[in-house]
Amino acid sequence: MLRILNGFLVVTVIGCAFVLYSLEHASRQNERQIAKYKRQIAEEQENIKLLNAEWSYLNKPERLERLAREHLSLRPAEPQQFVKRADLAALLPERPAPLAPESDGDAIGDMLKGLE
Amino acid sequence: MTKLRGHNRLRLVMLGFMVCFAVIAARTGQLALLAPEAKRVAAPADVRIPRPDITDRNGEVLATDIKVSSLWANPRKIIDVDEAIELLTAVVPDMNTVELRKKLTKDKAFVWLKREVSPFERQAIHNQGVPGVGFRNETRRVYPKGRLAAHVLGYVDVDSRGLAGIEKFMDDQGALYTASLTDPEQMRAMPAQLSIDVRVQHALTSEIAKAVSHFKAKAGAGVVLNINTGEVLALTSLPDYDPNRPIDAQKQVNLNRVTTGVFELGSVIKAVTFAMALDLGVTDLNGRYDARYPLVVGRSRINDFHAQKRILTVPEVFLHSSNIGTARMALDVGLAGHKAFLQRVGLFERMRTELPEAAAPLLPKRWSKIASVTAAFGHGFAVQPLQGITVVAALLNGGRMVPPTFLKRDAATVDGFATRIIKDSTSRDMRHLFRLNALKGTARKAAQNAIGYQVGGKTGTAEKVINGRYSKNHRLTSFVGAFPMDDPKYAVLVMLDEPQPVKGTYGYATSGWNAVPAAGRVISRIGPLLGVEPKYTEEELQKISKKVTALKGN
């Protein structure tokens, strides 16, 4: 009886050792992964900060103003360019009335036709 | 089965072991299965929590920390110097070959090769695999917007300790505020959000810069203040500096004129005297003051700059900026009352904001009759320009003095620290006077340059004290005003130091010819940014319709 018990215990010990070893191996691998991801996150955060700083630098109002002057025909808005919403219709340039979409037709297609 | 000797003892031992193992198994199971209560461990002190970024009110980054790598080498470990030089210069072309050779052949264990290598160069050098070289990480504070709002931001030293401006505030008085932004568990910090609006700041700075160069002034300054919340939307002082190169910041000319300097604001202070006289009921808008003759107080005679030599109504005193009339108002109020009012509006003490550089006012040594009379029109005492605009904002916003701030403020909390200095009805009268002055008085050019924004303002031309005397040719001109006047939202201050008469000003260099038109241009640029709806007077409508017809004709 003792022999059977001993045999059983030996097998159990070997089994436990194997399970334990594989668990430890897996957890170590997971730890390595975690460390790697943490490093990547930190790196990405650094990159984000750097890019934010660069974005802010590129968005300097001074620079935008210069670029806008060189490449666009836009100018700073003047007060007389503001109109009340109620007066808007009167100030818009005239254009043909939009075509009423046919009830059973292709509404978007009609609109596109209207644009042509 | 015969019982062996010691069989019972063996059982006993086995039982003992089994009990032990059972205990161990139970404990292991407990640890593994039941989640252990998280223990809070204090963060180790040597781990540095990053310095908070600084952003403007809309989240635009104004200051941030970036990691920079610096390249170093251990010359003793370099096997082939020629090869190392070749590899390094291949990826970093701006390194000097001769210098590099000198450094790498030294008999040392450590030499810096290049400070602040860009991430791309770093990767490239890394890929080259040169033995004996390495990188060391350093943190560097950068201000991506350069000069913009430099005087508010301040700057830091090489160890990222704040030396001026908000940066210093975050380390000193504002340490609690800074701590509230940080999250030590995440090793992160929320950005400190300023009240500054980058767009308004740029508009203000560029207009002041234009005025300074056009009028050949020595310096210029400007402030845009939210009249109801006390938030400073923009603060400019020219000449300025780039906080990325703090060496320039310590030069005397680059100091922040808005808070670090004190100036006699001249006629701008008359608005305070008017508010005092109106609030105490000494006079009202229908009152009259005799400005026919100079006012004699003791041995001094007080004259008017634009002498009218007649009896003026109260609005006329304001419009013509009559020293005599204003002085008489102060006399009517009396010495004690005048002093008490100036103390109430805080002009007699050092104004404290987040910016550590705050100058104390220069006050008359003895509060006498002549001191009171000259103080009535802004002579003989000097305050921070920021104090001037804060008081004027309080006179126009309904009479509530709100301490200015450089940090974003929740409008709902303002009631907590606002103090009433004048009655609402007095504030209404002041608005009327300010608006009138922009329509008919000395601040006309501001309204003309900012069509539709209903500007109101008061101008000031102070003679500077040179060698202990007031000099006729060294002037400090200023404009303090607000818009839109039917419900003032923003106050604007523009100040020019020694502007010169130029073509088109007919030999004049008083405020109405330089600071005022500049302020008008500032307002016309920031009005659309701040979402102020233009409303036109009859005259302005005619002007616009002419423009519109001209446009339609094309």
Side-chain angles (χ1 to χ4, degrees):
Chain A
M1 203 204 73
L2 211 58
R3 193 164 298 169
I4 298 173
L5 184 67
N6 276 341
F8 172 72
L9 286 179
V10 166
V11 171
T12 319
V13 164
I14 293 173
C16 280
F18 178 74
V19 170
L20 189 71
Y21 177 77
S22 58
L23 273 179
E24 200 178 311
H25 183 73
S27 76
R28 227 177 255 168
Q29 208 158 20
N30 282 341
E31 265 166 28
R32 264 200 299 274
Q33 281 286 345
I34 290 171
K36 193 176 138 198
Y37 288 141
K38 274 193 177 156
R39 213 169 39 243
Q40 278 179 358
I41 289 170
E43 228 165 76
E44 289 304 327
Q45 276 171 346
E46 259 335 293
N47 282 344
I48 290 170
K49 276 192 117 174
L50 197 70
L51 291 172
N52 267 338
E54 194 175 341
W55 176 246
S56 169
Y57 172 75
L58 293 174
N59 272 311
K60 270 209 285 204
E62 220 178 317
R63 178 171 176 274
L64 293 185
E65 194 179 77
R66 186 173 44 90
L67 291 178
R69 214 176 22 240
E70 281 170 13
H71 301 291
L72 298 175
S73 56
L74 299 174
R75 271 178 300 151
E78 286 184 35
Q80 51 267 28
Q81 288 172 294
F82 292 84
V83 286
K84 284 212 176 67
R85 197 172 296 173
D87 306 340
L88 197 58
L91 287 157
L92 286 178
E94 281 181 36
R95 57 166 194 175
L99 295 173
E102 284 164 37
S103 53
D104 55 348
D106 173 9
I108 294 173
D110 286 344
M111 274 189 199
L112 286 174
K113 243 178 238 163
L115 285 177
E116 275 162 16
Chain B
M1 199 168 148
T2 50
K3 261 195 175 178
L4 290 169
R5 249 175 33 159
H7 198 133
N8 276 337
R9 222 181 299 162
L10 185 68
R11 276 195 179 164
L12 197 68
V13 171
M14 274 175 73
L15 194 73
F17 270 102
M18 273 161 105
V19 168
C20 285
F21 276 110
V23 168
I24 292 173
R27 177 67 181 145
T28 322
Q30 190 195 358
L31 283 179
L33 298 179
L34 308 172
E37 212 171 290
K39 249 191 206 163
R40 289 180 73 91
V41 189
D46 60 323
V47 179
R48 285 191 51 193
I49 295 164
R51 196 178 174 78
D53 288 358
I54 302 178
T55 69
D56 85 334
R57 63 185 302 114
N58 303 317
E60 284 270 342
V61 177
L62 294 174
T64 186
D65 274 343
I66 57 167
K67 277 224 175 68
V68 289
S69 311
S70 294
L71 182 66
W72 58 271
N74 181 350
R76 285 183 196 148
K77 279 200 179 156
I78 288 183
I79 305 154
D80 186 344
V81 175
D82 290 308
E83 192 201 358
I85 292 172
E86 201 175 299
L87 287 173
L88 287 176
T89 47
V91 286
V92 192
D94 59 335
M95 272 204 273
N96 187 335
T97 322
V98 182
E99 224 170 88
L100 204 57
R101 179 175 299 279
K102 212 189 275 171
K103 278 183 185 165
L104 291 182
T105 46
K106 270 185 200 159
D107 187 28
K108 273 186 173 177
F110 184 91
V111 283
W112 284 117
L113 294 185
K114 189 172 186 247
R115 302 302 282 266
E116 289 170 24
V117 182
S118 75
F120 309 104
E121 288 175 336
R122 183 196 156 120
Q123 194 57 45
I125 295 170
H126 199 77
N127 291 345
Q128 298 276 25
V130 187
V133 301
F135 295 97
R136 195 167 279 189
N137 280 336
E138 294 175 303
T139 315
R140 194 174 163 233
R141 194 74 165 163
V142 291
Y143 302 89
K145 302 267 190 231
R147 291 167 180 271
L148 203 71
H151 284 108
V152 178
L153 291 171
Y155 50 92
V156 295
D157 66 5
V158 281
D159 298 319
S160 282
R161 273 189 305 252
L163 291 183
I166 288 291
E167 294 279 23
K168 187 169 186 194
F169 167 78
M170 293 209 300
D171 288 350
D172 297 354
Q173 321 101 287
L176 265 180
Y177 167 74
T178 316
S180 74
L181 297 172
T182 55
D183 180 358
E185 276 179 28
Q186 295 284 316
M187 303 306 293
R188 250 187 282 171
M190 301 280 292
Q193 212 164 21
L194 300 188
S195 60
I196 299 290
D197 185 322
V198 162
R199 306 164 302 162
V200 178
Q201 175 73 29
H202 171 67
L204 178 71
T205 310
S206 69
E207 287 304 332
I208 301 249
K210 270 185 222 163
V212 165
S213 73
H214 185 241
F215 297 106
K216 302 182 180 69
K218 267 170 61 180
V223 180
V224 178
L225 185 76
N226 183 321
I227 237 173
N228 294 311
T229 65
E231 292 172 290
V232 178
L233 292 180
L235 181 150
T236 285
S237 171
L238 295 174
D240 57 2
Y241 60 89
D242 184 347
N244 292 309
R245 290 186 304 141
I247 294 201
D248 303 342
Q250 280 130 9
K251 287 181 194 152
Q252 190 63 24
V253 287
N254 290 341
L255 66 82
N256 179 359
R257 277 152 222 274
V258 180
T259 64
T260 316
V262 291
F263 300 92
E264 286 192 5
L265 294 179
S267 306
V268 166
I269 295 296
K270 281 179 189 153
V272 178
T273 315
F274 269 76
M276 170 180 71
L278 292 172
D279 200 55
L280 296 175
V282 172
T283 183
D284 57 33
L285 290 187
N286 302 318
R288 281 165 197 282
Y289 280 94
D290 185 354
R292 282 177 296 182
Y293 313 105
L295 180 68
V296 180
V297 179
R299 283 182 299 155
S300 315
R301 285 162 70 89
I302 286 147
N303 283 303
D304 275 353
F305 184 72
H306 315 274
Q308 301 292 314
K309 301 213 188 294
R310 60 190 169 92
I311 293 173
L312 301 170
T313 64
V314 166
E316 279 174 338
V317 174
F318 197 83
L319 257 50
H320 297 296
S321 202
S322 162
N323 291 344
I324 302 169
T326 323
R328 284 188 196 280
M329 275 183 203
L331 285 177
D332 287 352
V333 170
L335 276 185
H338 191 190
K339 188 175 182 182
F341 190 81
L342 290 180
Q343 276 167 341
R344 183 135 55 107
V345 299
L347 286 176
F348 268 22
E349 60 196 71
R350 184 194 301 249
M351 174 184 269
R352 292 275 181 204
T353 60
E354 289 83 8
L355 298 192
E357 305 84 9
L362 289 178
L363 302 171
K365 287 196 184 68
R366 211 167 61 81
W367 188 248
S368 59
K369 198 172 170 190
I370 182 72
S372 161
V373 162
T374 51
F377 51 86
H379 276 225
F381 85 113
V383 293
Q384 299 170 25
L386 188 61
Q387 278 178 293
I389 187 174
T390 306
V391 173
V392 170
L395 300 182
L396 298 176
N397 74 359
R400 298 183 324 148
M401 182 101 173
V402 188
T405 180
F406 290 90
L407 298 175
K408 197 172 181 181
R409 186 183 268 172
D410 185 359
T413 64
V414 169
D415 289 339
F417 25 73
T419 47
R420 179 155 291 281
I421 54 166
I422 55 168
K423 294 193 281 280
D424 200 15
S425 58
T426 316
S427 177
R428 215 173 303 134
D429 288 345
M430 291 310 295
R431 274 181 234 164
H432 172 71
L433 288 176
F434 269 66
R435 179 68 177 141
L436 205 62
N437 197 34
L439 289 176
K440 294 179 181 159
T442 45
R444 270 192 317 274
K445 286 196 161 51
Q448 284 164 8
N449 278 342
I451 290 178
Y453 289 117
Q454 304 179 76
V455 183
K458 180 83 192 87
T459 62
T461 305
E463 288 162 1
K464 283 172 66 176
V465 178
I466 306 279
N467 301 328
R469 284 167 174 279
Y470 283 107
S471 161
K472 282 253 179 287
N473 299 317
H474 297 84
R475 297 188 185 85
L476 184 89
T477 65
S478 49
F479 167 93
V480 180
F483 72 98
M485 238 27 215
D486 58 350
D487 176 23
K489 291 201 171 64
Y490 302 99
V492 176
L493 167 109
V494 171
M495 209 172 81
L496 293 173
D497 191 356
E498 295 187 22
Q500 305 299 321
V502 296
K503 207 176 150 199
T505 69
Y506 310 101
Y508 289 106
T510 49
S511 174
W513 294 97
N514 40 56
V516 173
R521 274 192 294 275
V522 170
I523 291 168
S524 76
R525 272 184 73 172
I526 65 176
L529 296 177
L530 295 170
V532 177
E533 187 193 331
K535 283 181 198 153
Y536 306 101
T537 59
E538 282 298 314
E539 218 172 296
E540 286 173 348
L541 272 179
Q542 281 173 7
K543 237 189 213 175
I544 295 172
S545 66
K546 263 182 218 159
K547 265 198 181 176
V548 171
T549 41
L551 279 174
K552 274 192 180 155
N554 286 342

